[in-house]
């Protein structure tokens, strides 16, 4: 068993206990006040929305001043302690200022997905009953026209009279009662946007403790530059690329688009050291690297593969990172040479991709969690990562265990449902006491709904969602996510969903793959997108790739039916395919 490194990421807080910090964990206003004392002139918020895409940066002192001015305006506008404030828009410093100013005003922030349809966003507005709404220009007019009883303000200078940076109180304002650690800080809506929305209530303690506790498995520094590229309203990005950097005094670069040219510019000019993404993003980045290598011919590809093997062996066995030197030119070409750590969440990454990044000298790790857990439950430590794992738990600061599930055979690995208890677990669902109660075991553990197992070193291996499980005629458990992961580096496949379908006996389940072919596949076959689903060449190509994957699958898990899709599957704003099973 590898020796676990002892870290105490919140030790520096001791200096401020009793003066600034009133509870066990700091609230957001207390955290910001501490960081302004520690790093007043350090960069805090950065974007590339200046003239001609130039870089704009606000220091911690400048951010603090904007927060205080906006908080005073909010109070004068009628925000009382516990009132809700909605923010909806693309990632930006303005978004961050609203988020933090809400706490200084004593309010509760409600980040709403900017990618929702207008009627879905309206449903969340009605459910949260906000005092103020801050919106990007995309939904500003719609929200202003449809919610006349709520003051709608702008994150964009396009609406100059209500632009966030220009909002000021008319005079001195009496501050509201300050937040305490067990007050609700944020309500994050996870689903049900067209019906009865489910809002996760997270306290200051939930969010702040989770960020600090996660750092017991990963060192981050005030000199790091984090890249907030995925939508920051989502719990994963909010915690890992917004809250965590604020906890150490690091810089946050807000990315607004995954367009390749903009992504490359921000990676290069932002000098990003810590990036987080989902499997799709990292797969695309690696596919671009591999494509460039293949263009240089088979000798170069063979040499690189050989060097990757050596590099990974040295890193895994001796803990020495030689990949950054071996692959310096490749990493610079991909604009990721400055990357120190890449974090993947939102779903398991294929082991082959995980291995390639580590072999190339980037400390690549996976984490796991849910919105209801603020969200991080596990994280792979850089010094002792396991490719097959989504990370080690944070004991003794939390407790994770595997419990049996009715109808699911645990097998020799002891597969069951992952449950967790700790300071990061939510207060509950907003105005849904019965739904909240269903999510906890009798002894107070939160039920994740995910199936997995844990080894002796407390590393969690994720199998998939319990509700997605396929049980074959022979009683074998098949986890669709594990099959889908096998296609992550198959360039011919852009999207895949694996599901069960009934055999001719009408009882037992077989395995089907719904596949949307990639542009690379169609271009290679000279087939237009309009005819792709019915074209025999496309079907043969996709079935050929499926057969290659099938060779490495257990007999009961092999795909027996392939459906080529003419239209892409719907995706979330964190680039995960929405599952719509055809049972």
């Amino acid at each position: 068993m590898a020796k676990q490194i002892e870290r105490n990421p919140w030790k520096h807080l001791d200096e401020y206990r009793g003066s600034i910090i009133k509870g066990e964990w700091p609230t957001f206003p207390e955290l910001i006040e501490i960081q302004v004392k520690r790093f007043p002139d350090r960069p805090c918020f950065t974007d590339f929305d200046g003239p001609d895409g130039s870089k704009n940066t606000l220091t911690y002192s400048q951010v603090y001043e904007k927060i205080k001015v906006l908080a005073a305006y909010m109070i004068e506008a009628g925000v009382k302690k516990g009132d809700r404030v909605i923010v909806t828009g693309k990632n930006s410093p303005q978004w961050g200022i609203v988020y933090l100013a809400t706490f200084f005003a004593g309010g509760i922030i409600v980040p709403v997905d900017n990618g929702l349809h207008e009627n879905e966003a309206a449903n969340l507005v009605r459910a949260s009953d906000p005092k103020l709404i801050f919106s990007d220009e995309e939904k500003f007019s719609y929200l202003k026209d449809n919610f006349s009883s709520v003051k709608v303000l702008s994150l964009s200078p396009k609406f100059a009279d209500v632009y966030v940076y220009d909002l000021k109180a008319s005079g001195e304002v009496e501050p509201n009662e300050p937040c305490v650690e067990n007050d609700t800080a944020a309500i994050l809506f996870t689903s049900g946007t067209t019906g009865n929305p489910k809002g996760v209530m997270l306290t200051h303690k939930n969010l702040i403790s989770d960020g600090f506790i996660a750092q017991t498995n990963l060192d981050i520094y005030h000199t790091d530059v984090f890249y907030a590229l995925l939508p920051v309203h989502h719990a994963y990005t909010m915690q890992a690329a917004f809250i965590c950097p604020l906890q150490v005094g690091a810089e946050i670069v807000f990315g607004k688009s995954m367009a390749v040219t903009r992504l490359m510019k921000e990676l290069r000019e932002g000098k990003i050291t810590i990036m987080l993404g989902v499997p799709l993003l990292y797969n695309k980045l690696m596919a671009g690297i591999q494509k460039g290598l293949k263009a240089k011919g088979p000798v170069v590809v063979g040499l690189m593969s050989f060097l990757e093997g050596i590099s990974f062996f040295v890193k895994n066995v001796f803990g020495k990172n030689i990949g950054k030197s071996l692959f310096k030119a490749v990493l610079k070409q991909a604009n990721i040479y400055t990357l120190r750590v890449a974090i993947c969440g939102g779903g398991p990454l294929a082991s082959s991709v995980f291995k390639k990044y580590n072999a190339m000298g980037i400390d690549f790790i996976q984490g796991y969690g849910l919105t209801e857990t603020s969200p991080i439950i596990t994280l792979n430590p850089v010094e002792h990562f396991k490719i097959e794992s989504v990370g080690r738990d944070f004991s003794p600061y939390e407790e994770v265990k595997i419990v049996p599930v009715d109808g699911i055979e645990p097998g020799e690995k002891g597969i069951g449902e992952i449950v967790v208890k700790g300071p990061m677990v939510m207060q509950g669902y907003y105005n849904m006491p019965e739904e909240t109660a269903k999510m906890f075991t009798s002894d107070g553990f939160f039920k994740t709904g995910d199936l997995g197992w844990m080894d002796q070193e407390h590393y969690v291996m994720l199998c998939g969602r319990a509700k997605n499980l396929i049980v074959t005629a022979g009683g074998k458990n098949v986890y669709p996510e594990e099959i889908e992961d096998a296609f992550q580096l198959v360039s011919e496949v852009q999207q895949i969903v694996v599901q069960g379908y009934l055999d001719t006996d009408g009882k037992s389940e077989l395995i089907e793959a719904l596949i949307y072919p990639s542009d690379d596949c169609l271009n290679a076959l000279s087939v237009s997108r309009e005819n792709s689903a019915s074209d025999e060449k496309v079907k043969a190509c996709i079935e050929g790739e499926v057969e290659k994957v099938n060779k490495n699958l257990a007999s009961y898990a092999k795909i027996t039916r392939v459906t080529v899709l003419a239209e892409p599957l719907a995706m979330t704003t964190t680039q995960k395919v929405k599952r719509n099973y055809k049972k």
Side-chain angles (χ1 to χ4, degrees):
M1 183 180 294
K3 181 175 175 14
Q4 184 168 335
I5 291 178
E6 295 293 332
R7 297 180 172 98
N8 185 356
W10 55 90
K11 184 174 177 56
H12 68 276
L13 298 179
D14 292 343
E15 180 184 345
Y16 304 96
R17 296 190 186 280
S19 56
I20 294 178
I21 301 173
K22 305 301 191 294
E24 179 188 6
W25 296 97
T27 62
F28 278 95
E30 290 168 350
L31 175 70
I32 297 303
E33 287 176 15
I34 289 168
Q35 298 304 55
V36 170
K37 286 182 179 294
R38 297 175 74 209
F39 307 109
D41 301 319
R42 287 278 309 159
C44 183
F45 290 166
T46 294
D47 67 10
F48 284 85
D49 285 339
D52 299 318
S54 60
K55 185 178 180 181
N56 292 321
T57 297
L58 295 172
T59 66
Y60 271 82
S61 290
Q62 290 170 327
V63 165
Y64 184 50
E65 288 305 312
K66 288 184 179 295
I67 288 169
K68 289 193 296 182
V69 170
L70 182 58
Y73 171 86
M74 288 179 171
I75 294 170
E76 188 177 75
V79 173
K80 301 286 192 298
K81 184 172 181 179
D83 282 344
R84 288 150 305 283
V85 174
I86 281 180
V87 60
T88 179
K90 292 179 180 176
N91 297 359
S92 67
Q94 292 90 334
W95 190 102
I97 296 293
V98 171
Y99 185 97
L100 295 170
T102 299
F103 305 136
F104 277 75
I108 298 170
I109 194 69
V110 184
V112 170
D113 183 353
N114 190 52
L116 293 177
H117 295 300
E118 290 176 344
N119 63 315
E120 294 174 326
N123 198 34
L124 298 189
V125 173
R126 287 188 288 269
S128 54
D129 186 24
K131 183 68 70 172
L132 301 174
I133 298 173
F134 289 83
S135 174
D136 241 352
E137 59 185 81
E138 286 90 341
K139 289 190 174 63
F140 179 85
S141 297
Y142 172 82
L143 292 169
K144 189 173 176 60
D145 292 344
N146 287 273
F147 293 94
S148 56
S149 61
V150 184
K151 187 171 286 188
V152 180
L153 306 159
S154 177
L155 298 177
S156 166
K158 181 177 178 180
F159 302 97
D161 56 327
V162 287
Y163 177 46
V164 60
Y165 282 174
D166 296 329
L167 300 174
K168 296 177 177 60
S170 59
E172 287 294 318
V173 172
E174 183 70 24
N176 287 331
E177 181 186 346
C179 302
V180 297
E181 62 178 331
N182 289 316
D183 285 340
T184 304
I187 299 174
L188 308 184
F189 286 96
T190 61
S191 59
T193 50
T194 56
N196 194 14
K198 187 182 287 185
V200 176
M201 296 188 296
L202 299 173
T203 65
H204 290 260
K205 180 178 181 176
N206 289 154
L207 290 164
I208 296 290
S209 70
D210 192 53
F212 276 120
I213 289 171
Q215 293 172 51
T216 60
N217 281 2
L218 175 68
D219 289 320
I220 60 176
Y221 309 101
H222 72 274
T223 51
D224 275 316
V225 182
F226 285 73
Y227 193 23
L229 176 62
L230 299 174
V232 75
H233 77 272
H234 191 274
Y236 168 40
T237 315
M238 186 186 302
Q239 181 61 264
F242 184 74
I243 297 172
C244 281
L246 290 175
Q247 291 179 331
V248 299
E251 180 181 0
I252 302 164
V253 173
F254 291 92
K256 289 190 176 182
S257 168
M258 286 193 195
V260 174
T261 51
R262 178 155 185 154
L263 171 65
M264 291 297 105
K265 171 187 170 68
E266 291 173 350
L267 282 170
R268 180 177 64 253
E269 296 182 18
K271 294 181 169 54
I272 307 299
T273 65
I274 298 183
M275 175 180 177
L276 67 155
V278 291
L280 179 64
L281 175 61
Y282 289 120
N283 289 337
K284 280 188 172 182
L285 201 54
M286 183 54 67
I289 292 172
Q290 296 300 310
K291 188 175 181 179
L293 292 176
K294 285 179 182 177
K296 298 181 184 296
V299 174
V300 172
V301 172
L303 176 61
M304 288 297 180
S305 180
F306 174 71
L307 292 175
E308 282 176 18
I310 292 175
S311 175
F312 187 78
F313 175 80
V314 170
K315 186 174 186 181
N316 205 28
V317 176
F318 300 105
K320 301 293 183 183
N321 185 350
I322 63 172
K324 268 285 177 81
S325 299
L326 289 176
F327 297 98
K328 182 176 181 178
V330 174
L331 296 173
K332 281 196 166 185
Q333 182 70 26
N335 295 302
I336 56 174
Y337 181 70
T338 60
L339 268 190
R340 188 172 69 80
V341 178
I343 305 171
C344 186
L349 188 74
S351 296
S352 54
V353 185
F354 191 115
K355 186 174 180 179
K356 278 185 177 293
Y357 278 104
N358 271 293
M360 287 186 172
I362 292 172
D363 287 327
F364 197 94
I365 56 175
Q366 294 194 78
Y368 161 68
L370 299 90
T371 302
E372 290 88 342
T373 57
S374 302
I376 309 172
I377 297 174
T378 66
L379 192 66
N380 247 316
V382 166
E383 68 277 357
H384 183 40
F385 64 86
K386 296 188 180 184
I387 283 185
E388 68 277 15
S389 173
V390 290
R392 187 176 66 200
D393 73 5
F394 305 122
S395 55
Y397 308 108
E398 72 171 1
E399 188 177 353
V400 176
K401 63 181 183 179
I402 310 297
V403 299
V405 180
D406 289 341
I408 296 179
E409 179 60 43
E412 61 183 28
K413 294 177 179 177
I415 292 171
E417 183 178 9
I418 302 165
V419 299
V420 60
K421 182 188 287 187
M424 66 287 295
V425 176
M426 68 170 181
Q427 284 180 305
Y429 296 119
Y430 184 56
N431 290 336
M432 289 183 170
E434 291 182 4
E435 287 289 328
T436 299
K438 292 176 185 175
M439 299 304 296
F440 289 86
T441 64
S442 58
D443 55 350
F445 281 78
F446 174 74
K447 299 187 287 188
T448 67
D450 287 319
L451 299 175
W453 57 282
M454 184 185 289
D455 69 12
Q456 291 183 335
E457 293 184 288
H458 286 235
Y459 284 76
V460 172
M461 269 49 74
L462 195 63
C463 296
R465 295 291 289 172
K467 64 183 180 181
N468 298 339
L469 181 69
I470 300 168
V471 181
T472 68
K476 295 289 189 180
N477 295 338
V478 176
Y479 305 97
E481 294 89 344
E482 291 184 348
I483 300 174
E484 292 161 4
D485 292 345
F487 286 86
Q488 287 190 17
L489 281 185
V490 177
S491 61
E492 290 79 6
V493 174
Q494 183 165 322
Q495 293 177 321
I496 179 170
V497 163
V498 170
Q499 66 177 19
Y501 71 96
L502 290 177
D503 199 356
T504 51
D505 61 10
K507 297 177 182 178
S508 57
E509 283 191 300
L510 299 174
I511 316 299
E512 176 184 24
L514 310 177
I515 293 177
Y516 183 65
S518 68
D519 289 340
D520 286 347
C521 172
L522 303 185
N523 292 339
L525 298 171
S526 301
V527 175
S528 67
R529 178 63 72 186
E530 292 73 22
N531 301 321
S532 60
S534 58
D535 192 284
E536 290 301 319
K537 289 185 293 184
V538 174
K539 189 169 180 63
C541 173
I542 295 299
E543 287 179 342
E545 296 303 320
V546 168
E547 189 53 40
K548 290 177 188 175
V549 170
N550 268 344
K551 289 178 180 177
N552 296 314
L553 297 176
S555 59
Y556 59 84
K558 292 185 186 297
I559 297 167
T560 55
R561 186 166 80 185
V562 176
T563 300
V564 178
L565 303 174
E567 300 291 333
L569 294 155
M571 301 186 78
T572 68
T573 49
T574 52
Q575 303 301 297
K576 289 194 291 186
V577 171
K578 294 181 179 179
R579 291 182 177 274
N580 293 302
Y581 281 81
K582 298 185 296 182
K583 292 290 188 185

